[in-house]
Amino acid sequence: MSLRLRLTLWYTGLLAVLLLLVGAMVFSRVQASVVGGVDRELQQKGDQIAQLALLTSGTTAITDPLLTIITASFEPDIYVQVRENTRRVIIRSKNLGRAVIDLPEPYYQQAMHSMAGFYNLSIRQPDDLRVYFAPIMVNGHTVGIVQVARNLAPQQAILRELSNNLLVLFTIALALAAGVGYWLTGVALQPIKEATATALAITRTGNLKRRVPIRRQRMDEIGALISTFNEMLDRLEELFEKQRRFTGDISHELRSPLTTILGNLSLLRRAKNLPEEEREDMLNEMHSEAERMHRLISDLLLLSQADSGLAINRAPVELDTLLLESYRLAKRRAGAGLAIHLTHEDQAVVMGDADRLRQVLDNLINNAIRYTPRGGSIELSLHCLGDEAMISVADTGQGITAEDLPHIFDRFYRADKARTRAAGGTGLGLSIVKWIVDAHNGRIEVESTPGEGSVFHIYLPVAAPCTES
Ligand code: ADP
């Protein structure tokens, strides 16, 4: 059963119960008031006659002519009957004709015990006769019983009409509520229907560009659901796009070194009498391409482990020792064309993974070497800033333009594609740096001026208060 139908049935059902309760209350109130009016009238008349009998000290004194005089003031549909205490009917009002108003045993006994009361008699279904009975008492004894009755037909007709009217009214109200409710639920659920249709269309066509249409901005739960759904689609589309680009980039990155290696190999195979020097060059090129592929695959492996939530080891690491080692290595790697200085070194210990932190320094220093032309300089430093340590790698290289700066930490992003690939980079170095720094609860900042140089600052929380030297 659809939600729309279920909701409509629910509140129509609730409304029906409510209307039934209200109807029953109204009906019983009106009934009580109508029957109460009749009772009051019957009691008044009955007591009058009983009083009269009392004044004349006995039932026998109420003669037919006397009763006629009394009842003359009564309405024509009020019946009067007087019985002796033996139950024998001695007087009846004329309008009764040959009929006798019954006095069932329990009420007779009640009257004999000096009590008055009311009861209903069914003489002609469905109309009832309402009867009041009262004892005629002489010296504390019941000598006779007065019965005054009235046909309830007019009152019952009123009540029947009332119940019929209520029934018609409630039926109309229920039908209206069900119709309007069904329509309103349909309107309210329309956006959900559209969201379902969109999700289905995406599943069938694989087109992640589709969105649930927003006809007007809604601030309610449905509005929140739709904007969350659309946001989720944005995110999915972005992820799929990223994934697609990533796969394309990997294939591209792997293809170019392989092409070089395969080309060189076939040349080496064909040209047997190649000069030794040329042969050596080709082997060197193949070696460096194979090394690049190796680096790329290791980087990719690391990033995929990072994506699947690889946790880093945590042990105290002396950043100053680490920086000193990286500095020495960089000096050897850079050769004589670049000046590398360790300008400032405070002492700082962080909780982290020494190998990964070394990788951060190596990647940053390698980039600085790679993108700084001969004659330039690179400065390394470690500063203690209270509860964090700052490592800086500054170079006087080519710098990074303002457009490239926000993207350099993206995977496979290269400011100058041809040049940086030729320089031997994989395009993954800074993504790895960012992941490692984030995993150590640190942050990375970069400032750069194209043509003048770049500075990378790494901030890491220290394990114990560090000391400035
Ligand atoms: P790559 O392996 O290509 O160096 P990275 O992720 O390490 O990849 O760096 C991304 C890009 O950022 C580089 O291609 C380069 O354009 C730019 N870049 C990184 N470091 C520097 C630097 N010190 N000077 C100038 N450009 C840099």
Side-chain angles (χ1 to χ4, degrees):
M1 195 192 289
S2 73
L3 181 63
R4 184 182 188 184
L5 191 63
R6 213 165 343 141
L7 279 177
T8 312
L9 283 180
W10 261 107
Y11 51 64
T12 312
L14 278 177
L15 187 69
V17 171
L18 210 76
L19 286 179
L20 266 177
L21 284 177
V22 171
M25 212 173 75
V26 168
F27 187 83
S28 69
R29 279 295 180 96
V30 172
Q31 191 183 37
S33 130
V34 166
V35 174
V38 171
D39 285 357
R40 269 193 303 281
E41 187 193 18
L42 290 180
Q43 186 173 15
Q44 191 198 0
K45 311 269 189 223
D47 288 350
Q48 263 179 17
I49 297 166
Q51 203 70 33
L52 188 79
L54 208 66
L55 284 175
T56 52
S57 313
T59 46
T60 43
I62 315 169
T63 51
D64 254 349
L66 186 57
L67 187 77
T68 316
I69 295 164
I70 301 160
T71 52
S73 63
F74 292 2
E75 285 167 46
D77 53 354
I78 290 191
Y79 309 103
V80 181
Q81 185 176 277
V82 180
R83 291 173 185 261
E84 277 183 341
N85 54 7
T86 56
R87 285 181 102 162
R88 196 169 69 87
V89 177
I90 46 168
I91 302 164
R92 277 181 312 176
S93 61
K94 290 231 163 16
N95 52 3
L96 269 172
R98 298 180 140 265
V100 173
I101 305 172
D102 240 5
L103 180 63
E105 185 60 22
Y107 305 116
Y108 169 66
Q109 288 303 334
Q110 215 174 309
M112 292 309 288
H113 286 89
S114 330
M115 282 183 287
F118 295 93
Y119 62 93
N120 280 8
L121 264 187
S122 290
I123 42 163
R124 186 156 51 82
Q125 290 294 351
D127 301 328
D128 286 340
L129 203 61
R130 183 73 174 160
V131 185
Y132 172 70
F133 66 94
I136 301 168
M137 309 283 297
V138 175
N139 298 330
H141 291 290
T142 304
V143 293
I145 301 161
V146 180
Q147 285 172 281
V148 185
R150 184 196 241 287
N151 197 327
L152 282 180
Q155 285 75 13
Q156 280 176 338
I158 291 174
L159 291 176
R160 254 198 309 278
E161 198 175 320
L162 175 71
S163 67
N164 285 344
N165 285 347
L166 284 177
L167 207 72
V168 171
L169 209 75
F170 289 177
T171 312
I172 293 173
L174 273 184
L176 255 172
V180 172
Y182 191 70
W183 174 72
L184 272 180
T185 323
V187 171
L189 292 179
Q190 184 59 23
I192 293 183
K193 245 181 156 173
E194 285 173 353
T196 315
T198 309
L200 214 68
I202 291 173
T203 318
R204 286 198 184 128
T205 60
N207 177 8
L208 275 171
K209 293 213 176 322
R210 295 189 63 139
R211 297 288 176 276
V212 180
I214 301 177
R215 297 216 176 75
R216 70 193 158 84
Q217 208 58 45
R218 305 169 61 130
M219 304 305 285
D220 53 10
E221 292 84 346
I222 301 245
L225 173 77
I226 290 186
S227 55
T228 312
F229 186 69
N230 281 345
E231 270 166 36
M232 190 187 76
L233 285 177
D234 286 345
R235 181 97 187 91
L236 269 180
E237 190 188 356
E238 195 184 302
L239 279 176
F240 266 71
E241 182 53 27
K242 240 184 182 168
Q243 188 75 23
R244 200 186 54 72
R245 247 197 340 257
F246 192 55
T247 320
D249 284 340
I250 294 173
S251 332
H252 187 74
E253 292 297 328
L254 286 174
R255 202 177 51 190
S256 45
L258 268 177
T259 313
T260 314
I261 293 172
L262 287 174
N264 285 4
L265 271 178
S266 66
L267 201 69
L268 280 174
R269 219 180 246 149
R270 271 188 282 120
K272 303 272 184 228
N273 309 325
L274 221 57
E276 190 54 35
E277 202 178 316
E278 219 171 298
R279 205 184 156 77
E280 193 61 27
D281 277 354
M282 286 174 87
L283 282 173
N284 281 345
E285 196 180 18
M286 278 167 36
H287 187 251
S288 84
E289 288 298 298
E291 260 186 345
R292 194 147 74 92
M293 269 171 58
H294 183 257
R295 258 201 322 277
L296 178 71
I297 290 168
S298 313
D299 284 356
L300 276 174
L301 197 67
L302 183 66
L303 278 175
S304 91
Q305 284 172 340
D307 286 347
S308 52
L310 171 78
I312 53 154
N313 298 327
R314 295 227 175 238
V317 179
E318 288 177 3
L319 280 185
D320 41 304
T321 315
L322 215 63
L323 187 64
L324 198 64
E325 283 170 14
S326 293
Y327 162 68
R328 288 188 183 133
L329 193 74
K331 262 184 108 65
R332 277 204 299 280
R333 201 175 290 160
L338 279 178
I340 301 193
H341 307 286
L342 183 58
T343 53
H344 184 97
E345 197 179 36
D346 291 336
Q347 287 184 333
V349 176
V350 297
M351 287 303 287
D353 187 326
D355 287 340
R356 298 270 170 259
L357 290 171
R358 188 176 289 116
Q359 196 172 1
V360 167
L361 294 177
D362 286 352
N363 284 3
L364 290 180
I365 295 171
N366 282 346
N367 276 353
I369 296 174
R370 199 175 288 147
Y371 304 115
T372 307
R374 291 176 78 79
S377 70
I378 295 168
E379 289 185 351
L380 310 177
S381 63
L382 167 61
H383 283 91
C384 171
L385 307 174
D387 53 1
E388 59 185 359
M390 178 183 80
I391 297 177
S392 306
V393 179
D395 64 58
T396 58
Q398 64 187 50
I400 306 162
T401 61
E403 301 92 76
D404 290 325
L405 217 47
H407 306 290
I408 55 170
F409 296 102
D410 294 349
R411 294 175 188 186
F412 289 119
Y413 188 85
R414 289 181 167 120
D416 179 344
K417 307 243 170 324
R419 207 135 57 99
T420 53
R421 187 176 291 123
T426 58
L428 294 175
L430 288 183
S431 324
I432 292 175
V433 167
K434 172 118 178 56
W435 166 65
I436 297 174
V437 172
D438 285 348
H440 283 82
N441 304 322
R443 69 202 145 87
I444 180 162
E445 286 173 8
V446 50
E447 296 156 26
S448 187
T449 315
E452 287 183 21
S454 320
V455 191
F456 286 82
H457 299 290
I458 305 260
Y459 298 88
L460 293 170
V462 289
C466 53
T467 44
E468 294 179 31
S469 60

